[in-house]
Amino acid sequence: MSELPAIDSNYLLDILVDLLNTPSPTGKADAAINLVENAVQEFPFLSSKQTRKGAFVSTWEGLANDTPRGLTAHADTLGAMVKEIKTNGRLKLTRIGGFAWNTVEGEGCTIFTSQGETLRGSILLTKASGHVHGSKVNELKRDDDNMEVRLDARTIDADQTRELGIQVGDFVAFDPRVEMVNGFIRSRHLDDKACVACILAAIKALDTAGKKPAQTTTFHFSNYEEVGHGAATGFPDDLAELLTVDMAAIGEGQTSDEFHATLCVKDSGGPYHHGLNQELRKLADQYQIPYKVDIYPYYGSDGEALWRAGGDVAVALIGPGVDASHNYERTHTDALIATTQWIMAYLLN
Ligand SMILES: [Zn+2]
């Protein structure tokens, strides 16, 4: 068995919690992208820039440059925008990314006005009170029309809400509610902030051990993944391989769990690159990295975004098992460590 550099798990978890507590719905992910940019200052050997689209891209010169590689993880998350200011002063929302309304029902949220102010509120059913609406609370379909934001501000009509500075198009972020217990990390948006933290922890571990990647590698921190086109651009023209790092989907019929990293061999976009998959399996075996192989039935990745944009590269997907994805998610430190190890094994070989 070959040895991998030691991972600073405190660093990994600290940066993960910072990321989770930084609101970054797709379209307004700059705060999380800036946090990554700040973290990368610690690694002066990377040459970095923000793309015009707003992703953050860092390149680490490798020992060789004949098959340049990319790694991508996304810093944007699910969220919403104000669709309409209702006559009762509350807000109708439009969703950003794919999730069911019931997964955020009762959740606290922050509204970001175009003037740079923030307001607090919560996402509720329009017929929320059991004492007023009886069985309708259970029966009402959770859809765009039946969900609203109740603002924590004095307003009972649309004009008063507009006076608070709120307009159609304002971004809304859901409270992540981060909690760490017994090695578990419970939070919204582990997808995909967990993997952003894993990539940064892998870079730090390799650097601390005095190692360099085998091939020149571009780290791409995407800001538009949840709507399907994040990593469609932002890589060098000669890129040969892209390792997408994104969460694994756990549930009935799935092999993935919260204690392993998963190699996804197929999702909604079809099979990933078999040759690169085989390389990744070989590395996991060689370094005794705890992993599963799985298929995700309703899932698309930023690797496929690059393929759809015409990228002539081998693409694979690995990531930590995340329970209740696009809901109130949870993973375990073991899965984060396994994912970080796999990233390092790939970079070194
Ligand atoms: Zn994701």
Side-chain angles (χ1 to χ4, degrees), residues 128-149:
S129 168
H131 300 97
V132 177
H133 302 290
S135 62
K136 287 204 184 76
V137 178
N138 186 34
E139 289 155 10
L140 205 60
K141 186 170 163 51
R142 273 60 179 163
D143 63 17
D144 290 9
D145 292 328
N146 293 335
M147 304 298 291
E148 64 185 11
V149 174

Side-chain angles (χ1 to χ4, degrees), residues 277-341:
N277 287 345
Q278 293 296 89
E279 281 302 312
L280 289 161
R281 284 183 207 237
K282 211 167 77 187
L283 290 171
D285 291 335
Q286 182 186 340
Y287 289 97
Q288 296 186 354
I289 297 164
Y291 78 105
K292 305 273 188 180
V293 176
D294 212 348
I295 288 170
Y296 311 152
Y298 305 102
Y299 191 110
S301 81
D302 245 346
E304 285 158 347
L306 181 60
W307 262 350
R308 290 213 162 85
D312 180 20
V313 301
V315 174
L317 169 62
I318 63 167
V322 169
D323 190 63
S325 54
H326 283 197
N327 201 323
Y328 190 31
E329 300 170 343
R330 194 182 72 171
T331 190
H332 191 275
T333 313
D334 287 358
L336 302 179
I337 296 294
T339 303
T340 307
Q341 287 176 324

Side-chain angles (χ1 to χ4, degrees), residues 168-321:
V168 169
D170 289 350
F171 282 93
V172 177
F174 312 137
D175 288 358
R177 272 189 292 133
V178 188
E179 196 169 327
M180 291 205 276
V181 182
N182 293 331
F184 288 99
I185 303 105
R186 170 155 55 78
S187 177
R188 290 186 188 281
H189 314 320
L190 287 168
D191 172 16
D192 187 28
K193 290 174 170 175
C195 297
V196 172
C198 288
I199 290 178
L200 293 172
I203 295 170
K204 186 179 174 68
L206 290 186
D207 176 48
T208 304
K211 308 264 190 195
K212 282 183 81 165
Q215 292 285 337
T216 295
T217 304
T218 299
F219 302 95
H220 179 284
F221 300 97
S222 164
N223 63 331
Y224 268 97
E225 192 275 349
E226 290 294 357
V227 293
H229 56 71
T233 188
F235 297 99
D237 290 341
D238 59 352
L239 190 77
E241 292 178 358
L242 177 62
L243 181 61
T244 314
V245 192
D246 207 337
M247 56 114 215
I250 297 176
E252 217 177 299
Q254 298 297 104
T255 63
S256 302
D257 68 29
E258 291 161 280
F259 312 104
H260 292 75
T262 298
L263 173 72
C264 175
V265 291
K266 177 182 180 288
D267 63 18
S268 305
Y272 284 89
H273 190 274
H274 184 61
L276 187 50
N277 287 345
Q278 293 296 89
E279 281 302 312
L280 289 161
R281 284 183 207 237
K282 211 167 77 187
L283 290 171
D285 291 335
Q286 182 186 340
Y287 289 97
Q288 296 186 354
I289 297 164
Y291 78 105
K292 305 273 188 180
V293 176
D294 212 348
I295 288 170
Y296 311 152
Y298 305 102
Y299 191 110
S301 81
D302 245 346
E304 285 158 347
L306 181 60
W307 262 350
R308 290 213 162 85
D312 180 20
V313 301
V315 174
L317 169 62
I318 63 167

Side-chain angles (χ1 to χ4, degrees), residues 119-130:
L119 285 98
R120 295 282 295 157
S122 31
I123 298 164
L124 292 168
L125 198 62
T126 50
K127 298 186 191 307
S129 168

Side-chain angles (χ1 to χ4, degrees), residues 139-169:
E139 289 155 10
L140 205 60
K141 186 170 163 51
R142 273 60 179 163
D143 63 17
D144 290 9
D145 292 328
N146 293 335
M147 304 298 291
E148 64 185 11
V149 174
R150 175 189 64 193
L151 293 163
D152 298 327
R154 290 204 169 208
T155 169
I156 53 162
D157 62 35
D159 284 342
Q160 288 179 341
T161 296
R162 275 187 215 103
E163 276 163 30
L164 295 169
I166 293 178
Q167 294 177 12
V168 169

